[in-house]
Every structure is written in C-alpha cells, then in structure tokens.
Amino acid sequence: MTGSGATVDPAGNAGTPGGAGKPGTRRATPAWARKSTLVLLITVLALAAFGSTTQTWMTATLDPNQVGQAGAAQSVIQVQGSKAATTVTALALVALAGGLAAAIAGRIARWVITAIIVLASAGVVTAAAIVLADPLAAAQGTIAGATGISGSQAHVELTPFPALAVVAGCLLALAALLILPASRHWKTRTKYDAPGAAGTAAAAGPVDEIDSWDRLSRGEDPT
C-alpha cells in the first residue's frame, strides 16, 4: 500500500510526488554564451589584429635605375603593418577595450559597446583590404621616407599578415554580435540589469560593494 502523495507506474515502482522535474531548476549557461569565454574570444581576436600590424606586411623591391645611388642602399624595403595601415592598430585597441568593457556593462551599454566593436572591426577589414588591393600605394609612404623619392615604382610582395588582419576583423565582428544573445545568460549584478529583482536579490543574500552602492542610491541602509 502506497501513500497518498506518491504515484506507482505499471511496473510497481514508486515515483516522486508530481512526477515532474524539480521546479525552479536553472538551465546551465551554454559554453558559447559564458561571459569569460566570449570576452576571451574578443580579446584574442583584437590582439591578433593588433599583433599583425607589428609584423611585415609587404616587401618592396625598388628599381635601382629609378632611385639612383641615393636609394641603392635601400633597394629592398620591408613595410610594417602599422605603417601600411595605420588605422588597424588604433581600431584593434578600441575593439579590445570594448570587449573588456562588455564584461561589466549594463544591458543598454552592451548594445552601444557591440556597435562600437562591430564598427571597429569593419574599419580593420576595410583598411587591410585596401592594402591587399593596392599594396604599392600603401607602401609609398615608407618608400618615400627611406629613399627621399615619392611616387617610385617597385615590385611589392605581400606577406600573410594583411589577410590575417582581414580574417581577425571579420571574426571579431561576429564575436561582438554574440554579446547580445549571450548576455541574456549572464548573471545580473545591479538594478539597471534587473530593475524588478534588484531589491529582492539584495535582501536575499550577502551584498558586495556594487550592491551596497545600489542600495545607498535607493536610500536604504546596506548594513
């Protein structure tokens, strides 16, 4: 004879009351949506774009007959990415800062940060693509600085690093777009992320420095 609160299946096994899973069970955050994973991904991609500019993007071989004796010592010139596409360095740093800021930003701020990272990524891709499309024009500044002659003709060979910057920029934009759906799984910490639950969360457990400031702003005594 079984109790009134239990259920019995045809095989005679007693079940738990209600026959369902535990109420209020919280789903685990998907691996791709974890804050640490996404911030690390954005950081790595931004550093990859930045790091590519510290390497040689192209090698220009000058015509000795055109540059003369003054440029004979500089017949082969290596052009660094930071000189071939100066904006890539700055935009990569902007994206890096945005990725780190997204980890502590509120819901509205994350939209703004996502837009900034996407725009910075588009700038990285555009600048690197221009170098790939016309490497000689991108190398003219370095050639003129080395030889003192502007508008020189040269044979330019590209390295893989401009293409790496393009790939890193594209992946960086995609990673930034993941911030919006992923942030739904991130634990909220302030009343700005969850206005209706901020007071309940503060009263339910110990408070940290951020929660203390939030309660003070509402006129409450966190002690």
Side-chain angles (χ1 to χ4, degrees), residues 1 3 99 109 190 193 208:
M1 183 174 180
T190 68
D193 285 326
D208 56 16

Side-chain angles (χ1 to χ4, degrees), residues 23-221:
T25 301
R26 186 176 180 179
R27 292 183 178 181
T29 302
W32 65 269
R34 293 174 183 169
K35 183 186 296 186
S36 58
T37 301
L38 193 53
V39 171
L40 178 61
L41 177 61
I42 293 175
T43 300
V44 169
L45 292 173
L47 289 177
F50 176 82
S52 70
T53 63
T54 65
Q55 304 301 314
T56 299
W57 277 28
M58 63 191 79
T59 301
T61 304
L62 306 179
D63 182 0
N65 296 325
Q66 184 178 10
V67 299
Q69 294 182 352
Q74 298 288 341
S75 60
V76 178
I77 299 175
Q78 293 183 339
V79 183
Q80 209 172 31
S82 58
K83 296 180 179 179
T86 56
T87 57
V88 173
T89 302
L91 292 174
L93 291 177
V94 169
L96 175 62
L100 297 176
I104 58 175
R107 182 182 57 181
I108 297 177
R110 283 194 290 264
W111 281 86
V112 177
I113 290 171
T114 298
I116 291 174
I117 298 176
V118 170
L119 291 175
S121 303
V124 169
V125 173
T126 301
I130 290 174
V131 173
L132 291 172
D134 193 354
L136 178 58
Q140 283 297 337
T142 303
I143 294 174
T147 64
I149 302 175
S150 60
S152 300
Q153 294 298 317
H155 174 69
V156 180
E157 294 183 358
L158 290 167
T159 68
F161 290 104
L164 173 62
V166 171
V167 173
C170 292
L171 294 178
L172 186 58
L174 294 176
L177 292 175
L178 288 177
I179 292 176
L180 301 178
S183 61
R184 299 175 184 175
H185 301 276
W186 297 352
K187 180 184 286 188
T188 58
R189 291 180 56 86
T190 68
K191 65 179 180 181
Y192 303 104
D193 285 326
T200 303
V207 296
D208 56 16
E209 294 181 0
I210 296 177
D211 294 326
S212 297
W213 278 109
D214 289 339
R215 295 181 65 179
L216 282 172
S217 66
R218 294 194 300 269
E220 301 176 5
D221 184 4

